Amino acid sequence: MLYRENGQFKSSYRADLALFPIAQDRLAMLVLALTAFVAVPWVASDYTFRAILIPFLVLSLAALGLNVLVGYCGQISLGTGAFMAVGAYAAYNLLVRVEGMPLLLALLGGGLASTVCGVLFGLPSLRIRGLYLAVATLAAQFFIDWFVNRVPWVTNHSSSGSVSVGGLQIFGLPLETPVQRYLLCLSLVVVCALATKNLVRGAIGREWMAIRDMDVAAAVIGIRPVHAKLTAFAVSSFIVGVAGALWGFIHLGAWEPAAFGIDKSFQLLFMIIIGGLGSIAGSFFGAAFIVLLPLLLNYVPHWLGLPLSTGTASHLEHMIFGALIVFFLIVEPHGLARLWSTARQKLRLWPFPH
C-alpha cells in the first residue's frame, strides 16, 4: 500500500515529464544517493572498495555506454574492450605528455579519443547491420589490440608493454585512499547516468529507438539513419572511453594491453543481456551480477562447508553465465531490469488482484 500514485496529480507538462514522477521513487533515489555518498564511505572497508564497489561502478559505466549502442540503437558491438583501451591509453598519454594536465581533463580526453575511434568504426553501420556489423566491430578489437602492442609510443616506450599511473590528484586533492577513488567513480557514474537518461528520453533517444525497431520505417518518417547511428556510436564510445580510463587509472593502477582484450568485450555484452537491453537500470543490475557472482562462488561453498577449488569455481562461473544468457534470451529478453519493472508494477496494484 506504500507504493501508490493516489493523490499525486500532475498540473503541468514539466511535472508529467519529470525524471522520477512518483514521489516514492524520488524519495528512494534520495535515500540511495545519501547512502552511496555518505553512509558507504563511513562503513565500508578498503577491501570492499577495491574488490566490489569500484569495479562495480566502472563496469556499470562501461555497460551503460554499451547499452546506448546495443540496447537503445540496436547496433551490435563486440569491440567495447577496444574502446575502453583507447580511453585508457589516451588519458595516460595526456597525463604523462602534457605538463600539469588535470586528471579530470585527461579522463574526458580519453573519452573524446574513444569517441573519434567509435565514430570511425561506426561508419560501416551505415551500410551493414546484424552479424556483419558485429564482425566489423570485432575487427576494431583486433586492430586496437595490435596497435597498442606494436606501437611503442602508445605505452610511452615501455619495454614490458605495461604502463602505470601514480600520484593522482583532482582539484589539488590527492586520490590516495580507496574512499576518494570510490567517490570520484561514483560522481562520474551519476553524472553520466543522468545525462544518458535524459538523452534517451529526448529526441535523440527516440531516433535511436526508431532505428533499433525498424530502420527503414524510421527513414521514411524523416529520421536520418546516418545521424542517429553515428550519434549512438559517439555517445556510447565516449562513456566507454571514460570507463576504460577509470578502469586503468582508478581500479588497476598499472595495466597491459591484455586488460582490455576481447574477454572484456564479451563480459560487457553479457552484462547488458543479463541486466536488460535498453535499460539504464539494467546496466547496473548486470554489473552487480558480474561482480558479485565470482565472490559468491568463492565464499558460499566455504560457508556451507563444501570443498570447492578455485578452478572449479571459475568453471562454474562460466557455466552459470552461459546458462543465464540462454535463460534470459528465451524467457525474459529484457533481463533483470524487466523483472524489477514488473515487481514495481505489482506493488502499485497490491493488494488488489487486477
Side-chain angles (χ1 to χ4, degrees):
M1 299 291 289
L2 297 176
Y3 192 69
R4 290 295 178 83
E5 295 184 60
N6 294 357
Q8 301 183 37
F9 302 107
K10 311 296 190 302
S11 58
S12 64
Y13 288 114
R14 183 183 182 89
D16 194 45
L17 297 174
L19 194 60
F20 302 105
I22 303 177
Q24 291 90 331
D25 287 341
R26 293 194 294 271
L27 179 61
M29 294 306 299
L30 179 61
V31 171
L32 181 62
L34 289 175
T35 303
F37 279 99
V38 179
V40 171
W42 281 98
V43 300
S45 63
D46 288 353
Y47 172 79
T48 304
F49 285 118
R50 291 193 177 99
I52 300 176
L53 294 178
I54 292 177
F56 161 71
L57 290 173
V58 180
L59 291 176
S60 297
L61 187 60
L64 179 66
L66 182 59
N67 221 338
V68 167
L69 185 63
V70 180
Y72 284 103
C73 196
Q75 308 300 302
I76 301 176
S77 174
L78 297 179
T80 315
F83 300 132
M84 288 184 70
V86 171
Y89 282 104
Y92 167 76
N93 279 278
L94 285 173
L95 204 63
V96 299
R97 298 181 187 280
V98 180
E99 186 71 24
M101 170 63 69
L103 174 62
L104 191 58
L105 287 182
L107 296 176
L108 296 178
L112 291 176
S114 182
T115 300
V116 174
C117 289
V119 170
L120 288 176
F121 284 101
L123 290 175
S125 69
L126 307 179
R127 296 296 181 186
I128 58 177
R129 57 184 176 179
L131 179 62
Y132 300 100
L133 180 58
V135 173
T137 56
L138 189 61
Q141 178 73 54
F142 294 141
F143 175 77
I144 298 298
D145 286 347
W146 173 86
F147 188 81
V148 298
N149 277 291
R150 299 299 180 183
V151 180
W153 183 89
V154 175
T155 59
N156 199 22
H157 301 278
S158 172
S159 58
S160 63
S162 63
V163 298
S164 61
V165 292
L168 300 178
Q169 294 183 352
I170 184 166
F171 301 121
L173 300 175
L175 288 175
E176 297 176 350
T177 65
V179 176
Q180 295 168 333
R181 294 169 180 260
Y182 161 78
L183 290 175
L184 173 63
C185 293
L186 180 61
S187 301
L188 290 175
V189 168
V190 169
V191 170
C192 290
L194 290 175
T196 304
K197 182 66 174 178
N198 281 287
L199 276 177
V200 300
R201 293 167 68 234
I204 295 178
R206 290 192 293 270
E207 289 182 358
W208 293 343
M209 288 181 277
I211 292 293
R212 174 196 64 192
D213 295 337
M214 188 173 291
D215 54 353
V216 176
V220 169
I221 64 175
I223 294 176
R224 297 169 293 170
V226 174
H227 177 265
K229 292 180 180 181
L230 291 186
T231 52
F233 269 97
V235 173
S236 171
S237 300
F238 177 80
I239 297 174
V240 169
V242 173
L246 288 175
W247 186 259
F249 281 37
I250 304 301
H251 177 55
L252 299 178
W255 71 93
E256 55 185 9
F260 302 102
I262 193 171
D263 290 344
K264 185 65 66 181
S265 298
F266 282 114
Q267 184 187 47
L268 292 170
L269 189 61
F270 296 160
M271 284 183 200
I272 62 172
I273 291 174
I274 294 174
L277 291 168
S279 169
I280 302 295
S283 304
F284 293 92
F285 287 144
F289 184 86
I290 293 291
V291 171
L292 292 178
L293 180 62
L295 296 176
L296 291 176
L297 289 177
N298 286 329
Y299 287 105
V300 171
H302 294 290
W303 294 339
L304 299 177
L306 300 175
L308 188 65
S309 65
T310 304
T312 304
S314 178
H315 289 304
L316 279 177
E317 178 183 340
H318 289 89
M319 291 170 62
I320 293 174
F321 283 160
L324 284 174
I325 289 170
V326 174
F327 171 80
F328 280 113
L329 288 176
I330 295 175
V331 178
E332 185 49 78
H334 295 287
L336 295 173
R338 181 62 179 177
L339 299 179
W340 170 246
S341 177
T342 302
R344 290 177 58 199
Q345 292 298 326
K346 290 185 179 296
L347 283 175
R348 294 168 72 178
L349 296 176
W350 185 85
F352 302 107
H354 61 279

